[in-house]
Structures are given as C-alpha cells and as structure tokens.
Amino acid sequence: MMLKKVESFSRYQEIVEHYGQRGCASNDYIQREATDLIAHDSLYEYCGERNGFLLVKKDGFWRVYFYLNDHNEILLLQGEVLETEILFRGNLGEPADVVAFLERCCFRRHLVRDQYAGIYKDLQPFRVNDEIVVQPAQTLAGVQGAFDLFNQSFDMYSGDYVSPEYYEGLLASGSVLLAWRRHEEESRFVGALHQTVENNVAWVSHLAVKESARGQHVGQALLDAFVERNMVTEKSRYMLWVQHQNSVAVSLYEKKGFKYLGKSSLSMIKL
C-alpha cells in the first residue's frame, strides 16, 4: 500500500463507495469537511484490497479514518505518528475486534472520552467566587492567550487544534470567553472557554483553568457564563466531550446537571 493525496471529492466518494461495504467497521465522519481538506492538500489515502484508510495531516501527526472489512489486512505505515478514534456505545463496551486489529497495526490505547448533554431547565447554577469575572475576549491577544492555555492543558493527539488563522473569526463571533480574577488594582487571566454552536446546540469545545487558579471556582464561572449566554428557551441544548480519566472535569459537569449520553470514544496512537 502507498500513501497518496486525495485530489478530488469524487475520489473521496469512490473510496467511501468501494470500502464502505455492508458490515464494515468505520469511523469516517469527515464527509462535511472533505472538500475543505482536499482544497488545503490535507487529505490522503492509504488503501489495500479490502481495507481503506483516509489520513488527515495534522500538526506533527496524522489522524486516521478507516473502513475495515478484513482484519487480516494490516496497516503498517512506518516513520509516522498516527492517531485514530473509535466511537462506541458505552453500555455495549468497546469494539474488541477493532481494538485488536489496531493493536496488531502497532497502535496503543491512549484516552477515552465521554459525551455529555444538558437542557437549560435541568442545569443548576453554581455559587461562584464573586472575584471571578467572565467576558468574551476583546482582542486577538486574548484569543491567543486562551488557545495557548488550551494547548498547554490538553492532549495534542485527541484534542481539536485550532489554527491561528481562525482567531480573528473567533474574536468577531465572541466564541472565546475569558475568566479574570480581580486582584487588588489589577485583573489576572485565570481561565478560558471556547464554544461552538451547531444545529442550535451549544458545545463546549475547550475549557481550561490556569494551574495557579484551580480550586477557585473558575471552571464553574466559565460554565455558568457559557450556559446563560446560549440560553434561548428553557429547552436550549448543550453538549460536550470530556476525558473519562479527568475526574475533576467530570464532577464539574455532573454537578451542573449534564448527563452522560452513553456514547464514548477511544483514542489510539501509533508513535
């Protein structure tokens, strides 16, 4: 098998039609992004007779999307860092056959993330520190500071990296909330939240608190502000993904009233 660039959306469709056979295992959820990825020379293919792989170029690694029809046809791409994500229903457990296949391809288990959701009428306000002020970022420097914090706080492989070329749009849309702690005559930046809105659902894309400010209810203040600014009706919906291993973050969301949806993802990497 050889790695080569996907040159057109029609070629992407050919791969999907050829390998997306009934009963195959797949994690390809990039169809809406495929045209943009192809335009930016970021989408590649690595295909065999029975299995097809799509690779997206990231900063320092490749994200892998697969169509698996034959668990004996092994993917071996040498000299590259690869990451893939398997979506599964938490109550059914991980798909052991897919995990075993990827392990034979030299991937190893990395992180598990769980999906949570909430409806405005079911979410509870926190009693937060009055010294914490939350407001949308007012400058590009503020947006940059937020994403510097996100990149320091989150795993580079399974997180969603945002390129600086998008910062101006995030500033204009008010998608980045900054938390400040009043301190004598000045305010100190202590945390940030990045939100996205899709199909009338508000998502927490990133939320992070500076290490020096943890335990001061900064995360609670950010989450409250996010919920309130996206409230349209009592039935307004909110969603997020959180690392299963991050018990502090899981507790924060559950105390707010978010509920686990029974959907999880396993991230696996090949270094």
Side-chain angles (χ1 to χ4, degrees):
M1 293 188 289
M2 295 181 62
L3 182 66
K4 61 181 180 178
K5 189 186 302 181
V6 176
E7 300 284 359
S8 65
F9 185 74
S10 62
R11 175 54 188 160
Y12 167 76
Q13 289 179 310
E14 288 176 6
I15 295 170
V16 173
E17 291 172 5
H18 181 76
Y19 296 101
Q21 301 172 16
R22 184 175 182 179
C24 81
S26 176
N27 69 339
D28 179 13
Y29 48 84
I30 61 171
Q31 185 161 353
R32 287 186 297 177
E33 304 173 56
T35 299
D36 188 57
L37 292 169
I38 292 165
H40 287 83
D41 296 328
S42 297
L43 184 62
Y44 288 71
E45 60 177 279
Y46 193 52
C47 298
E49 291 186 15
R50 299 268 294 150
N51 296 333
F53 301 90
L54 294 160
L55 293 91
V56 176
K57 187 184 294 186
K58 295 291 184 179
D59 187 19
F61 69 100
W62 296 85
R63 181 159 291 158
V64 180
Y65 302 91
F66 52 76
Y67 288 89
L68 302 182
N69 297 288
D70 183 350
H71 287 194
N72 294 313
E73 187 178 73
I74 301 300
L75 165 69
L76 288 176
L77 184 60
Q78 303 299 329
E80 302 285 354
V81 178
L82 308 177
E83 185 271 342
T84 192
E85 200 167 14
I86 307 168
L87 298 176
F88 63 95
R89 289 291 177 187
N91 58 343
L92 299 178
E94 298 171 2
D97 55 343
V98 177
V99 173
F101 170 83
L102 291 169
E103 288 177 337
R104 292 199 303 274
C105 295
C106 301
F107 284 79
R108 64 175 176 82
R109 299 171 61 88
H110 186 46
L111 293 172
V112 174
R113 295 193 301 166
D114 298 325
Q115 189 176 17
Y116 279 71
I119 298 175
Y120 182 83
K121 64 183 179 63
D122 298 329
L123 300 180
Q124 305 298 318
F126 288 119
R127 182 176 297 174
V128 300
N129 187 337
D130 291 337
E131 294 183 347
I132 306 299
V133 177
V134 177
Q135 61 186 17
Q138 303 294 314
T139 65
L140 281 175
V143 175
Q144 175 73 57
F147 280 91
D148 285 347
L149 176 60
F150 298 145
N151 291 335
Q152 293 165 12
S153 304
F154 297 117
D155 170 71
M156 67 174 289
Y157 299 116
S158 59
D160 294 316
Y161 175 78
V162 177
S163 169
E165 67 185 278
Y166 294 104
Y167 288 176
E168 192 167 328
L170 295 174
L171 175 65
S173 64
S175 298
V176 177
L177 301 180
L178 304 182
W180 302 87
R181 182 175 182 272
R182 296 191 186 98
H183 184 74
E184 298 176 352
E185 296 182 358
E186 62 180 18
S187 295
R188 295 181 179 177
F189 170 59
V190 289
L193 183 150
H194 167 218
Q195 69 166 54
T196 55
V197 179
E198 299 178 5
N199 300 321
N200 297 318
V201 177
W203 286 80
V204 177
S205 296
H206 302 85
L207 191 161
V209 176
K210 296 191 74 171
E211 187 173 358
S212 60
R214 291 172 188 168
Q216 300 175 17
H217 309 294
V218 177
Q220 294 180 355
L222 284 163
L223 193 56
D224 269 353
F226 158 76
V227 168
E228 293 301 328
R229 75 193 303 266
N230 288 288
M231 184 272 192
V232 179
T233 71
E234 291 288 306
K235 295 183 179 180
S236 292
R237 297 170 62 216
Y238 309 85
M239 289 190 181
L240 57 93
W241 287 92
V242 60
Q243 287 184 14
H244 183 82
Q245 300 87 342
N246 189 340
S247 59
V248 173
V250 171
S251 177
L252 170 69
Y253 296 125
E254 290 182 340
K255 286 179 180 177
K256 182 68 177 175
F258 283 83
K259 304 293 185 184
Y260 175 51
L261 288 182
K263 182 186 289 186
S264 298
S265 73
L266 170 64
S267 170
M268 300 185 70
I269 58 173
K270 174 183 177 294
L271 299 178

